Structures are given as C-alpha cells and as structure tokens.
Amino acid sequence: MSSSANIYVDDGSYNKLLSYLMGLDQPQLEEFKICLQSSQLLLGNFQQIPWANLKAIDPTNLLCLLSEYFSERQIWEVTLSIFDNMNLTSQCTEVRAMMNVPGLPVGPVERASFTGHLQPGYLNIPPSLFVAEIAQTQGSQDPSQEEPEVPEEEKDHRRRYRERMKAKILTMWDNIPWPEDHIYLRNVTEKEHEGLKSLLYPNRTGAQPQTIVLEGLAGVGKTTLAMKVVLHWAEGFLFHQRFSYVFFISCHKVRDMKDTTLAGLLSWDWPDSQAPIEALMSRPESLLFVIDGFEEMDVPSTLDESPPCKDWYQQLPVNRILFHLLKKELVPLATLLITTKEYRTNDLKKLLLNPWFVQIVGFTEGDREEYFIRYFGDQNKAKKILHWVRKNESLFHFCSAPMVCWTVCSCLKRQMARNPHFQLSTQTTTSLYVYFFSSLLATAEVSLSDQSWPDQWRALCSLAAEGMWFWKFTFAKKDLKHRHLEAPVIDSLLRLNILRKVSDCEDCVTFTHQSFQVFLGAMFYVLRGVRGSIGGPPKHQEMRVLLNDALADTNFYWNQMALFFFGLLKRNLAEELEDTLRCKMSHRTTDELLEWADELESYDLVSSCFEFLHFFECLYETREENFVRQILSHLLEADLDIFGSLQLQVSSFCLKHCQRLSKLRLSVSSAIPQTELTFNLETLETRPHSKIRQWQDVCSVFSNGNLTELDFSNSKLNAFSMKKLCYELRNPRCKLQKLTCKSITPVRILKELVLVLYGNHRLTHLNLSSNNLGIPVSTMIFKTLRHSACNIQYLWLESCGLTPLACRHLFLELSKNLSVRFLSLGDNDLSGVEVKSLQGPSEMPESSLKELSLWFCQLGIPSCKYLSDALLKNKSLTHLNLRKNNLRDEGVKFLCKALSRPDCSLQNLDLSDCSFTAEGCQELANALQHNCNMKILDIGSNDIHDDGVKHLCEVLKHPKCALNTLGLEKCNLTPACCQYLSSVLRSSKSLFNLNLLGNELEPRGVSTLWKALKKSTCKLQKLGLEKELYNIVKGELEELQERGSFLRVKCHLGQEESPVTYNCQGGIFFFCNCQKSLGFLIKFSFLQPVPVSNHFPRLAENRQSGEMPCLGLQDSARKNWHNMIWKNCGKSKSSHCLKHHLRNLSQKEQRSRSMVTGMTGLL
C-alpha cells in the first residue's frame, strides 16, 4: 500500500487518541498491538496490519501507522473494541463520549500531497537542501538549555558529548578536500523545504518515522546531509528536544574493526570513553543512530541463521552489531538514519522494519545549468555544452553529482583551450574521462622513472577494479602498500584530486568520485598484463565475468564500468593514454572480446535477461564500426525498448550491423518525426544523425535476409514510421515468418499491415491481440485474408474487442481462406454474435482450420450445440480450447454428442474452468468410450469432486482409450479419489501425464498413489503434485529414477525453488521444464552483483589480511575455483527472469444466450 508523509487528522481528536495510547503501560501497549492482529476485534472487515510493522513501534508511530490503514472514524472504533477487550472501563467510557462528538469524520482520512513516491515513504531531495534552513522555522534553541527534569549529571554528559560530536563533524568537514575551481551552489525551493521538514520533524499527527534511508548515486550529498543532521543537533538547532544523543557510525571506518559490544561501540566517541550506558538504555526512544555508507558493509550469508541479539554487552563483529541494530533487535525504539548508494537498497529492505526511503537526487537540471554557466562564465557557451551533455543521457545522469559537473567542465575547458577547433560532437563519456586524466597527469610532477610509471598506473587500476568486485571504496594504508603504490604517486594523485583523504579514517584514501574508480577499474582490463585484479584467475577471464554480470544487471556502476571498458577500445583514446601514462594497452583485448561474443550464439539471451540496449550502448561508445560489425555477427536475437533519443541512436547504429539477426522484439515509444512520402533522400544524407535516418537504419534489419520473427508490441508509431516499417517488411529480401503487433498505439496504423499481408508470402504467423481493432481496421485486415497472395496460417485476435459485425466479416473471409490452420479469439465477448448471418457459402471446400481457441469468450450452453454441429461437419479440427466459459453440465452434454462419434477428429480439448460437475464428467466418460482419437483432456478448475474422477477412471482403464494427458488441477479432490487413480495407473498403457496440483490429497492419498506408481506396469512419466506432498515421496522418487524410471514430479513454485517455465500443451501447464540460460553458473547472482566475499568468505578474510597468493583458498577449493568457475567464464547462467503479463479475468454474471455459430460455416 502507498503512504504519504502527511496524514491529516483533526488536532483535538488526534491529541486525545495519542493520550490514550501513551497512557498505556508497556504490557498494555504490547497487548494492544496483539489485539490489532485479531480479525474479530478489527470488526471483521478492516485490514490487518502486519506484525512486523507493529512489534517495535512506539505510541506516536503506532497512531501514524493506524492512520495509514484506517480512516479516523475507524481508528476510534478499533480503539474502543480493543479497550473493551482489555477491560479498560474508564477509557471505553471516554472513547464512546468522543465518538459522539459532532464533526468527527466518518469517511476516509484526507491525505496531503507529497513530493516523490514513498515505499512506504519515498521523497526526492536535492543535496543543497540542508536541515539548517528548516531549523530557522522551528526557532533557534540555546545549546545549553535542558529540560528541567534532567539531572545535573545527565546535563553534563549531554553537554560534553555534544561538544565532542560538534568538534568531530567540523573536523571531518574541514578535512574534505575540494578542487580550487569547484563551484559551490546552494538552491532551496519552498516545496523541497517543506518536504524535508515533514520527513524529519513530527508532522501534523506528531508521527515520526523511526527508520529513514537516504539513498542516491555517489556524490549527490547523502553523507553531507547526514553530517548536517548531527552537526545541527550538536549545536542545539535541530532535534534537540527529540533526541538526547545522536551517534554517527561510519561503515567504512568500522568495517575492519575488531569484535566489540554495542556499549563499547558507543563509547568510542565519548569524551572520557565511559558512556552512560545505563542512562542510554533507560530511554532508547531518545536515541538517533546515523549509519553512513551501508554500501560498504557485506551482508553475511548466515545472517538469517544467527540468533537475535538484544544484549548491549554481547561481544560480536562490528558489522553484526550494526545488522542487529538495523533489524531492530538491538535498541528497537531508537531512530535510524541510514545512507546508502541506491544499488544496495534491496539488501536494506530485507533488514529494516517500516523504512522510509528518501531519494537524494543531487543537482537538479537547473543546478547543472547554473554550475556550467558560472564555471565557463559565458552563458551561450555553457548552454551549448549543456545541450550536448543532455544528449548523452548517462553522462547527464552522472552530472547530478557536483564532482562530475566539475570533471566535465574542467576537462572541456582544458580541451577548448588546447584545441581551438575542438568538436563537441565527437566526444563520448569515455573520451571525456580519458582527456581529464591525461591532461591532469601530463602536468603532474612526480619523481619516478619512466620504467616505474606503467607498474604504478597498473597497480592503481588494479586497486580500483578490486574495489569494484568487493564493493570497497575506502582503502587503508595496507591496501596501498599491498599494491606497491609509492608515496610520491599517492601524494600526486591527492594533489590532482583523483584521490582524497577520508576525513574520519586516518591514513585512508578514496577516489574523489566513484566514477573515477569505475573508469580506472575498466581501464585495468585494457592494460597490458595477464594477472587479474583479485589474484588467481587471469585478467581476460575476469573480464568475461565482468561483461556477463554488467550486461545482465541494472546496477548503474557495473553498467558504467562496461561502458568505459568498450569506450577504451577506441584507437585514438588508447593512443592518448599510452602517450600520457607511458602504459601500453593490450592488443589482445579485441580478440578476447570477439571470442566472448562468439559464445553468445549458443545462449538464449532473451530468457537470460541480457541487457541488449546496454550492450548496444557499449558498442556505440567505441564508434569502431568494423569491430561492431564483427562482434554483432554473432548476435541471433535481440530484445530492445526504444523509449528515448539515446536508445534510438544506439539501436540504429548497431542493428544495421546485425546481419545474422533472426529474432527481434522491438518496442518503440520514442517520437519519430512525421514527414512526407516525397522526402528528399539527399536531405537525409546531409543529416546522418536525424531520427528519420536512424529509424530507417533500424528498419533496414528487416530485410537482412535472416530475420524470421519480429515482435513490435507495445509500440507508439506514427503513420510515416509504420509505413517505412511495412515497406521494409515487403522487401523481396525479407524472410519474415512471424509478426506480433500487440498493444499498438494508435490502432489505426495497423491498416498499413495490408501492404505486408499482400506482399510477403513467407509471412505465416500474425498476432494482433490486445488491440481494440474497431470496424475500419478489422474490415481492411480481414478482407486481405482471402487474397491469394496472403499466406497467414496462424492468427491471434485475442482481447481485440471484436463486435458481432467484425466477427461477421472475419468468419466470412475465413470461410474463403484455405491457409489458416490456427485461430485464437480468446477474451472477446462472442455471446452476442448471431448465428445465421455468419454461415459461409456451402459451395466452399472444407476448412483447413485445425486449432481453435475460444477461451473466455462468454460462451454458454447454446454455444455448445452449434460447436457440436461444427465438430461433426469438420474433420480437420484437432484442438479446441473452451477454457473459462460458463458451459455447465448441459453444455458439456451437447459437446459430448459430437465427441462420442468415432469419426470425431478432436485430439486436444481444454474444458478447464467451465463450471461443470461430476455429471459433466459422466458425459465425457461415456463419450470417450466411443472415441479413440482424444489424447489430451484438461478439466481443471471444475467442481467435479471424487465422483467425477471415478467416472473418468472407468473409461481410462479401457484398453482402447488413447488419452495420454489428463488435467485435474483444482478439482476439489480428496484422498478417496486416489484409489480410483491408482487402479488406472496400474493398468493404463497410454496415460503418461497427470496433473493433480491444487487438490487436498493429504499424505494418505499420495501414499495410495505411490503404491501404483512404483509398479513396473505404470507408464506415467509426469505428475503434478503439491510441494508438501511431493516432499513425502521425494526419497522414493529418487530411488525410482536411479532404477531407470522416467517419472518426474512438478510442483508449484516456492520461494526456495528455481523458476521453471512451462509450455502450454493443450492447456496443461506443468510438463516442459525450460532450460534456456547462459550456461554455467559463475560468480554471483546475475540479476544483482554480490561481493565476491559473500560467496567466498575465506577469500574475503585473506584479502583483508593481504594474503593474495592462491586466492587464500585451500588447494582443493582453489582447484574447484579454477575448474568450476573461471574455466567456464563467459558461460554464465542467470536466474530466469520470467516476464509474465498476468491478467485476472472474471466471467460476466450475465449468462450467454447465443454463440459464434458462424463457426458452423467456418468449420
């Protein structure tokens, strides 16, 4: 559920409600929370609040939480109900009196608007908005002012601690180095001001979030904002009355500390190292913990298995203490303020209770414009440069960090000064960073020999790369020493603002901005050398892992590292770095990349969540067309979403080189300009980067001679772009066979497909589902179907809003068509289609239609009569899908009249969710006695009970019964039916597949089945069974399989199971286990990079101690590392990303009276 920062409740009623809750002692408050879990006390129809949200909450925030779930009137009603259950008589009397006060709201609580999106609270805040401005609205407070009831000794403790924290923060502040020509901006808007105030101060309800997470890119101001909070508290301007103590914990500082206790951790910042722990423990709600830099913490793989910790004096590793603090096991009533880079947000969500995530957005677009103008001092020049930066979306995104703005501006200013003919249009993100580093280092004064430079530079890049693998961004003196980085080099890098000292960690350094570390980490893989950055595996194998992870992940920094890596392959940039850094680039990098790309042919990249657009963006960064052509010659399929100018640009650059591409999914929402058909080609040639020319380059892939499948669903195209697409699709060189056009906007442009249907005889599959075709479009397309040049054999028209008139046109045209073999009209309301008007001409030859799908078409009992007649007249139809239609027993009876005929050719029938009972099963059983053609029958989600199964089992035992697949999912079966099924399993020679998912068979039922399944006469190969039941027989199944049995059990997906894709065969959804992937599992989860230390903890331990040889692993483990992991680099297996569009379809209450009897003429 969504929530808002401001929840409006009348002040008087709010104060009264809060007074009741605060009047409860601790046991009563716990009982009140427990009562909120009772559906009876919640009056039955109120939403239950998750216990995880309640267990550690105080009265103030409890009222805030209640306001999110209930209206104000409902809060009073729930409170009264619970107080009555707790026998709080006086409170009940007062609450009843308050509920009778006129004006108490009876409707939902009004919610005020809030900037950003909350999860449960999300807020966008620029870094320039500091809490000092907010303090002005609250009024300054005297730092020495204390509450009168605080003892003198406690006052002294607080005063000395505030002085210590103020000095600490100011020292940290003074130690942060900034470039001399950096521009400082401070821009606060009223809206942002109010947003932060509502977050950090009690709002009108007095509610204060207990866990706040400041997330954002590197360098956008998260730490600065956190430090300001501490500083203004220490100065007495902010939170002085709310928090008695504020603790600032830097994750990178405590990362390598020895084991300690929470009490010991808090004492480190105390003036005399003796914190008043007992006083802190007595008022935990008055404590604020500021935890800075969560991204530097490794989450232990055994964290969930570790017992809860509530003891302030229990000695633990510091990271464990922090995790118990985050999970609200330690000091549950304290408030937490956490900063993290955005890619660790998911890890935090698993730890926190009721967090409010605040998105720190950094420089706004206006801030960036002001920065450029002030830096260059020439408004026209600055706006021209900023216009170019906006076109480079990744770079513009980076510029939300002030240091990146400085990097871009200083680099461009130097280049413009050095080269009067400098061309912005030739620049890339990589080239800017190359020129930035080369220009700085060209003037660096370092007393090193020429022979030492390559080793020093390689060591620095290796340090950066290793940090990216381990999520390490702060480097201690021992890390620099381990890499043999010499002091003159470090001093020079500090002077040049490439590195900076860490203000709160002695002898520690970090890269001035994380993009510097990302760039240098990428450079490591193009430098000459064999050794990898983390030891053990060679560099080229590390590079493969990097690409496999980066191209199947949405982590911004991982993606940027891959972008820099490809960008550094550009010849002139490599030469620039070689000249400046005196460090040779590897000539093998391009060959190794081509070898990596060669392996892409053997993988199903679409199913493996391969980021094609990011891959194309990386290739575009090289601007090396020969190399791009070579690497894309291995690409056989692609999945692209063109939603902006950059995506169109990189797609046009790369697709024209995909000469072997056979499958393409292309979703286009980027605006492509309209133009006349007589557009001058010469004009296009003068504007090679125009969107029109780019779209033509995209469309050129359709006629490459290899593309056989195209899906451009979910696209927004204009008439010109659609005509251009269709023109290429009818090119004689186009070999397209399958075309999918679902959810196209506007629908009217689909009329242009007529050109393709007439002009491409190779096109056999057409899917127009999820388009409200209307009469004009449907009429034009349907008329084309009867044309002799049209060779459509498979046609999908699902969810097209077909009207009776449109159906009349369709069936009339199809009755003259000899090519259509498959037709799906699912999710169209065909209940109002008239029968007689849809008859096809009697002189036409028999239809070639073999498969017909009419799922959820509002068909009823009368429809079955006409379908039965059609089945008798048509001998070619073998598959019929009537799923989710209200046929009932009487409708099934009509169908069985045709099914009972020996000459009925139907082989696959789906009657799932058709509202029939055991009586319908009896009719089916009778029909199957006379039908030897039926092989697949799905009757799942019908209320047939055990009696229905009994009827079917009687015919299944018949030796002439050919049924090999039976679907009985969710049929309300009990253990009693297993006896009937066991009898069939022992004797049937044809039944291979049986689906019993979603039935309460109980252990005794499965035991009965298993006795039959173990028999040598049982032919069953696949069984659908609930997981808890499967676990009962799992051991015996493994024994059967060891003895050569082909039996496999498929269960519903559980959280601990790997995703499985099921093919739909006759409506049975549990038989085909998809094995499409990128091959062998390496390194980490493909969807979210995880530090190496999470998977190889022993490696992490030894890395911290500097033991690099052999990766710090035992011989056997090292052998496994090489043989099982790095030997297979580039064959990474991803977790499947199942992209499902789930649709909840409910049948209309009105019973359908008539039916698509135009099928009689069609069939």
Side-chain angles (χ1 to χ4, degrees):
M1 63 180 290
S2 64
S3 67
S4 176
N6 298 326
I7 304 171
Y8 174 78
V9 181
D10 177 72
D11 286 342
S13 63
Y14 159 74
N15 290 331
K16 201 66 179 175
L17 277 168
L18 184 58
S19 69
Y20 291 141
L21 294 178
M22 297 190 72
L24 301 176
D25 58 28
Q26 192 61 34
Q28 288 175 330
L29 181 61
E30 292 303 315
E31 185 178 354
F32 189 94
K33 296 176 187 178
I34 294 171
C35 289
L36 283 170
Q37 300 293 292
S38 169
S39 57
Q40 291 181 339
L41 296 177
L42 291 180
L43 309 180
N45 59 344
F46 289 175
Q47 185 178 0
Q48 190 175 33
I49 304 174
W51 177 247
N53 296 1
L54 287 168
K55 65 178 183 180
I57 205 165
D58 61 14
T60 302
N61 287 286
L62 175 59
L63 182 55
C64 176
L65 192 62
L66 291 173
S67 301
E68 293 183 14
Y69 281 80
F70 309 130
S71 70
E72 185 174 355
R73 182 76 186 189
Q74 289 172 335
I75 295 176
W76 283 101
E77 292 174 354
V78 169
T79 302
L80 177 61
S81 176
I82 294 176
F83 280 178
D84 185 52
N85 183 72
M86 294 171 64
N87 296 320
L88 301 177
T89 308
S90 61
Q91 287 92 329
C92 287
T93 303
E94 293 182 24
V95 170
R96 288 192 182 94
M98 282 296 299
M99 292 178 66
N100 292 327
V101 173
L104 187 68
V106 294
V109 176
E110 177 185 350
R111 296 179 183 269
S113 61
F114 193 80
T115 304
H117 301 285
L118 307 176
Q119 192 179 354
Y122 254 109
L123 172 66
N124 294 328
I125 301 177
S128 53
L129 176 58
F130 294 132
V131 291
E133 283 75 22
I134 298 173
Q136 296 174 6
T137 67
Q138 302 293 316
S140 298
Q141 302 170 14
D142 183 356
S144 64
Q145 180 183 355
E146 298 287 348
E147 299 175 11
E149 67 274 16
V150 178
E152 287 298 326
E153 184 181 0
E154 177 68 10
K155 286 183 183 180
D156 185 58
H157 275 304
R158 295 187 188 183
R159 179 185 56 77
R160 289 191 297 122
Y161 180 73
R162 285 200 308 271
E163 291 173 354
R164 175 68 174 263
M165 291 305 296
K166 179 180 177 180
K168 174 181 177 178
I169 297 299
L170 289 176
T171 301
M172 291 170 59
W173 212 282
D174 292 339
N175 289 337
I176 297 176
W178 292 96
E180 292 181 1
D181 55 345
H182 177 55
I183 304 295
Y184 295 90
L185 296 183
R186 189 164 180 152
N187 178 28
V188 180
T189 68
E190 182 179 352
K191 190 175 183 180
E192 293 160 347
H193 178 114
E194 293 299 320
L196 189 56
K197 182 172 70 173
S198 65
L199 180 71
L200 297 178
Y201 276 93
N203 57 29
R204 195 170 178 181
T205 66
Q208 167 75 26
Q210 284 189 296
T211 302
I212 306 167
V213 180
L214 307 181
E215 64 166 346
L217 295 174
V220 294
K222 304 179 297 297
T223 298
T224 300
L225 187 58
M227 289 170 64
K228 280 282 187 176
V229 168
V230 179
L231 180 62
H232 286 301
W233 170 82
E235 293 176 333
F237 296 128
L238 192 65
F239 307 133
H240 187 54
Q241 299 297 330
R242 176 169 178 79
F243 299 117
S244 301
Y245 295 97
V246 176
F247 302 98
F248 186 88
I249 301 174
S250 173
C251 290
H252 69 77
K253 184 176 181 179
V254 303
R255 179 171 177 165
D256 298 326
M257 285 185 174
K258 297 179 180 179
D259 293 3
T260 185
T261 64
L262 175 61
L265 182 63
L266 300 184
S267 297
W268 287 345
D269 278 325
W270 216 263
D272 53 6
S273 299
Q274 293 296 323
I277 300 300
E278 298 303 322
L280 300 180
M281 294 175 66
S282 66
R283 292 193 61 199
E285 70 280 356
S286 68
L287 306 181
L288 170 63
F289 291 91
V290 179
I291 301 175
D292 183 47
F294 173 79
E295 69 275 0
E296 300 235 21
M297 301 299 295
D298 291 337
V299 180
S301 58
T302 58
L303 182 63
D304 292 336
E305 302 170 6
S306 60
C309 172
K310 300 180 181 180
D311 185 357
W312 288 47
Y313 294 97
Q314 182 176 349
Q315 186 148 332
L316 291 169
V318 177
N319 68 333
R320 291 273 182 173
I321 294 175
L322 292 184
F323 289 129
H324 291 304
L325 196 63
L326 293 172
K327 293 171 71 175
K328 292 287 187 179
E329 294 173 355
L330 271 172
V331 206
L333 296 182
T335 300
L336 304 177
L337 178 64
I338 308 156
T339 73
T340 184
K341 293 186 174 72
E342 75 296 335
Y343 59 84
R344 293 299 304 274
T345 300
N346 288 334
D347 292 330
L348 263 178
K349 287 179 180 176
K350 299 173 184 176
L351 298 172
L352 305 179
L353 294 175
N354 301 324
W356 282 50
F357 286 89
V358 183
Q359 184 72 37
I360 307 298
V361 298
F363 271 180
T364 64
E365 189 164 343
D367 294 334
R368 280 170 259 193
E369 182 174 345
E370 181 182 351
Y371 192 101
F372 276 68
I373 291 173
R374 289 174 57 181
Y375 193 96
F376 288 100
D378 183 330
Q379 186 168 350
N380 291 331
K381 179 189 289 187
K383 288 190 173 182
K384 180 182 177 182
I385 293 172
L386 194 59
H387 177 72
W388 170 79
V389 174
R390 281 194 184 97
K391 290 183 177 180
N392 190 329
E393 294 179 12
S394 60
L395 182 60
F396 189 65
H397 186 52
F398 251 156
C399 283
S400 60
M403 278 306 300
V404 178
C405 275
W406 170 78
T407 302
V408 173
C409 289
S410 62
C411 174
L412 291 176
K413 195 171 186 177
R414 287 192 186 95
Q415 289 191 74
M416 290 175 177
R418 187 174 64 176
N419 181 8
H421 305 291
F422 174 74
Q423 294 289 326
L424 263 178
S425 58
T426 62
Q427 298 299 300
T428 64
T429 304
T430 307
S431 68
L432 279 180
Y433 275 73
V434 167
Y435 291 128
F436 172 78
F437 281 97
S438 62
S439 62
L440 285 179
L441 293 165
T443 59
E445 297 180 1
V446 186
S447 56
L448 285 178
S449 64
D450 290 345
Q451 292 77 16
S452 299
W453 261 115
D455 290 338
Q456 288 294 290
W457 194 253
R458 191 178 297 110
L460 179 66
C461 293
S462 178
L463 181 75
E466 180 199 20
M468 294 301 297
W469 287 109
F470 285 90
W471 277 343
K472 187 172 184 178
F473 311 109
T474 303
F475 303 96
K477 189 174 182 179
K478 65 178 181 181
D479 297 315
L480 306 178
K481 185 178 180 181
H482 176 74
R483 294 288 175 183
H484 305 292
L485 280 165
E486 300 182 21
V489 174
I490 299 299
D491 292 339
S492 178
L493 294 173
L494 289 170
R495 287 194 302 271
L496 296 172
N497 293 298
I498 294 173
L499 293 177
R500 67 174 176 84
K501 292 184 177 180
V502 179
S503 57
D504 62 340
C505 187
E506 188 177 358
D507 294 330
C508 291
V509 297
T510 184
F511 289 92
T512 302
H513 186 262
Q514 191 171 336
S515 63
F516 294 180
Q517 182 174 345
V518 172
F519 174 79
L520 295 173
M523 190 186 297
F524 172 75
Y525 294 102
V526 297
L527 290 175
R528 187 175 294 179
V530 177
R531 186 181 177 87
S533 66
I534 58 176
K539 183 188 294 186
H540 74 277
Q541 292 180 346
E542 270 190 26
M543 178 267 292
R544 289 190 173 201
V545 179
L546 162 67
L547 293 181
N548 286 338
D549 246 20
L551 295 175
D553 185 74
T554 56
N555 181 296
F556 179 76
Y557 305 102
W558 218 238
N559 293 166
Q560 199 67 30
M561 195 169 174
L563 186 79
F564 282 140
F565 171 71
F566 276 90
L568 288 167
L569 300 177
K570 197 174 182 181
R571 291 188 185 91
N572 65 324
L573 297 184
E575 292 170 358
E576 175 78 20
L577 288 174
E578 286 184 337
D579 292 342
T580 307
L581 308 180
R582 287 159 279 180
C583 205
K584 294 295 182 181
M585 301 294 164
S586 172
H587 299 297
R588 279 281 303 157
T589 305
T590 301
D591 294 335
E592 290 163 356
L593 266 177
L594 292 174
E595 291 173 8
W596 167 78
D598 185 43
E599 297 176 355
L600 296 180
E601 289 187 38
S602 57
Y603 308 137
D604 186 341
L605 298 179
V606 174
S607 298
S608 303
C609 305
F610 189 83
E611 292 289 335
F612 290 95
L613 265 177
H614 183 56
F615 181 43
F616 282 8
E617 188 179 350
C618 291
L619 294 175
Y620 182 69
E621 188 78 2
T622 69
R623 302 297 201 275
E624 300 283 350
E625 296 213 28
N626 288 333
F627 168 70
V628 172
R629 187 178 298 108
Q630 290 181 70
I631 204 168
L632 288 178
S633 66
H634 303 286
L635 195 66
L636 304 181
E637 60 180 335
D639 188 340
L640 303 171
D641 289 306
I642 301 178
F643 54 85
S645 299
L646 176 64
Q647 291 73 36
L648 179 60
Q649 190 173 28
V650 301
S651 297
S652 68
F653 178 79
C654 293
L655 280 176
K656 63 186 177 184
H657 297 306
C658 297
Q659 296 304 308
R660 294 183 59 201
L661 196 69
S662 62
K663 298 179 183 180
L664 175 62
R665 193 201 69 82
L666 188 69
S667 176
V668 183
S669 55
S670 175
I672 300 170
Q674 288 275 21
T675 184
E676 298 294 332
L677 292 176
T678 56
F679 195 84
N680 192 330
L681 186 61
E682 293 181 1
T683 306
L684 287 177
E685 291 177 343
T686 61
R687 299 177 58 198
H689 298 296
S690 71
K691 285 191 174 183
I692 297 172
R693 183 56 180 266
Q694 290 166 3
W695 179 243
Q696 289 179 330
D697 287 341
V698 169
C699 293
S700 67
V701 75
F702 305 149
S703 55
N704 67 5
N706 290 304
L707 192 72
T708 59
E709 298 182 27
L710 172 63
D711 180 352
F712 67 97
S713 301
N714 304 304
S715 290
K716 297 178 182 178
L717 300 172
N718 55 40
F720 164 76
S721 53
M722 186 65 176
K723 285 179 181 178
K724 179 59 183 173
L725 184 149
C726 292
Y727 178 80
E728 293 294 339
L729 291 180
R730 65 178 302 189
N731 189 305
R733 290 179 298 173
C734 178
K735 296 182 180 180
L736 192 71
Q737 299 174 13
K738 299 179 180 180
L739 178 61
T740 301
C741 314
K742 300 169 68 173
S743 300
I744 302 298
T745 306
V747 176
R748 63 177 180 274
I749 65 172
L750 290 175
K751 293 188 292 185
E752 304 297 337
L753 287 176
V754 172
L755 296 172
V756 183
L757 298 179
Y758 275 129
N760 190 336
H761 70 279
R762 296 185 181 91
L763 186 64
T764 57
H765 294 63
L766 179 62
N767 191 338
L768 299 177
S769 299
S770 302
N771 290 296
N772 193 358
L773 295 178
I775 297 299
V777 176
S778 61
T779 301
M780 184 174 290
I781 293 176
F782 294 166
K783 280 185 177 180
T784 313
L785 294 175
R786 65 178 173 180
H787 197 279
S788 59
C790 178
N791 191 33
I792 295 297
Q793 299 175 22
Y794 299 84
L795 180 61
W796 287 264
L797 295 169
E798 299 171 354
S799 308
C800 285
L802 296 180
T803 64
L805 180 58
C807 290
R808 181 183 300 113
H809 291 152
L810 174 62
F811 299 140
L812 180 62
E813 302 303 339
L814 287 179
S815 66
K816 305 171 186 178
N817 181 292
L818 299 180
S819 63
V820 175
R821 300 176 182 178
F822 171 91
L823 174 64
S824 179
L825 298 173
D827 193 24
N828 287 290
D829 187 356
L830 304 184
S831 61
V833 178
E834 295 184 6
V835 177
K836 296 181 180 179
S837 61
L838 299 181
Q839 300 290 337
S842 58
E843 67 274 8
M844 291 300 295
E846 183 176 307
S847 171
S848 60
L849 192 67
K850 293 185 176 181
E851 299 181 43
L852 177 62
S853 179
L854 299 174
W855 61 269
F856 195 53
C857 285
Q858 313 300 325
L859 305 182
I861 296 171
S863 307
C864 295
K865 181 179 184 301
Y866 298 112
L867 277 174
S868 183
D869 294 340
L871 289 172
L872 291 174
K873 292 180 181 180
N874 184 284
K875 305 304 179 186
S876 63
L877 191 70
T878 58
H879 292 65
L880 179 60
N881 184 346
L882 297 175
R883 179 169 56 91
K884 291 186 73 69
N885 286 291
N886 190 25
L887 306 185
R888 306 175 69 181
D889 291 328
E890 191 174 349
V892 174
K893 184 176 182 180
F894 278 123
L895 287 175
C896 288
K897 290 182 179 179
L899 295 177
S900 62
R901 296 282 293 271
D903 56 346
C904 178
S905 58
L906 203 63
Q907 300 175 16
N908 186 323
L909 178 61
D910 187 347
L911 294 176
S912 59
D913 201 5
C914 285
S915 305
F916 63 88
T917 66
E919 184 180 344
C921 282
Q922 179 67 71
E923 297 293 339
L924 286 169
N926 294 337
L928 290 175
Q929 287 182 354
H930 307 285
N931 187 315
C932 297
N933 295 318
M934 185 67 66
K935 291 181 172 55
I936 299 176
L937 177 64
D938 188 354
I939 56 174
S941 299
N942 287 293
D943 196 20
I944 65 172
H945 294 282
D946 298 337
D947 288 342
V949 173
K950 180 180 180 181
H951 296 319
L952 288 172
C953 287
E954 290 174 358
V955 70
L956 286 172
K957 290 187 290 185
H958 197 281
K960 291 186 178 181
C961 180
L963 202 67
N964 62 47
T965 298
L966 178 61
L968 297 173
E969 183 173 354
K970 296 181 181 178
C971 286
N972 289 324
L973 306 183
T974 71
C977 76
C978 295
Q979 194 64 48
Y980 311 130
L981 290 169
S982 295
S983 178
V984 172
L985 294 174
R986 288 191 188 96
S987 59
S988 176
K989 305 299 182 184
S990 62
L991 189 63
F992 297 140
N993 308 311
L994 177 63
N995 186 356
L996 296 174
L997 285 166
N999 292 291
E1000 298 292 336
L1001 301 183
E1002 300 179 10
R1004 58 191 176 96
V1006 176
S1007 178
T1008 301
L1009 281 176
W1010 208 252
K1011 292 177 182 178
L1013 291 169
K1014 291 190 293 184
K1015 297 289 184 182
S1016 58
T1017 55
C1018 178
K1019 304 299 181 183
L1020 198 71
Q1021 296 182 6
K1022 291 171 185 171
L1023 173 66
L1025 203 62
E1026 290 297 318
K1027 183 170 180 60
E1028 59 270 18
L1029 298 178
Y1030 162 67
N1031 289 334
I1032 297 173
V1033 296
K1034 183 178 179 180
E1036 295 185 60
L1037 174 62
E1038 291 173 351
E1039 292 179 7
L1040 279 179
Q1041 291 170 347
E1042 289 175 1
R1043 295 202 298 265
S1045 172
F1046 292 102
L1047 180 62
R1048 298 293 182 269
V1049 174
K1050 300 298 181 184
C1051 307
H1052 282 312
L1053 291 182
Q1055 292 181 349
E1056 73 286 354
E1057 295 180 283
S1058 299
V1060 179
T1061 302
Y1062 302 116
N1063 278 357
C1064 174
Q1065 298 185 5
I1068 308 299
F1069 300 98
F1070 60 98
F1071 295 142
C1072 182
N1073 189 5
C1074 179
Q1075 297 294 341
K1076 300 174 181 178
S1077 70
L1078 275 181
F1080 191 82
L1081 175 62
I1082 58 172
K1083 190 174 104 47
F1084 341 110
S1085 162
F1086 222 46
L1087 300 180
Q1088 178 70 27
V1090 178
V1092 174
S1093 53
N1094 280 21
H1095 294 265
F1096 306 101
R1098 174 65 178 158
L1099 168 63
E1101 293 170 9
N1102 289 338
R1103 275 296 301 112
Q1104 293 175 4
S1105 62
E1107 299 177 21
M1108 283 301 294
C1110 303
L1111 294 172
L1113 300 172
Q1114 300 297 327
D1115 288 342
S1116 59
R1118 184 172 70 254
K1119 183 176 180 181
N1120 289 337
W1121 169 282
H1122 284 288
N1123 292 345
M1124 298 180 61
I1125 306 297
W1126 295 101
K1127 184 178 179 181
N1128 293 279
C1129 287
K1131 299 181 180 179
S1132 176
K1133 178 179 179 180
S1134 75
S1135 302
H1136 286 265
C1137 180
L1138 304 179
K1139 298 178 180 178
H1140 287 218
H1141 293 288
L1142 299 178
R1143 180 176 302 173
N1144 294 323
L1145 301 173
S1146 59
Q1147 294 188 0
K1148 295 182 179 179
E1149 293 181 1
Q1150 182 179 5
R1151 190 177 303 169
S1152 56
R1153 296 189 187 176
S1154 56
M1155 122 87 193
V1156 176
T1157 56
M1159 296 297 164
T1160 307
L1162 170 62
L1163 299 178

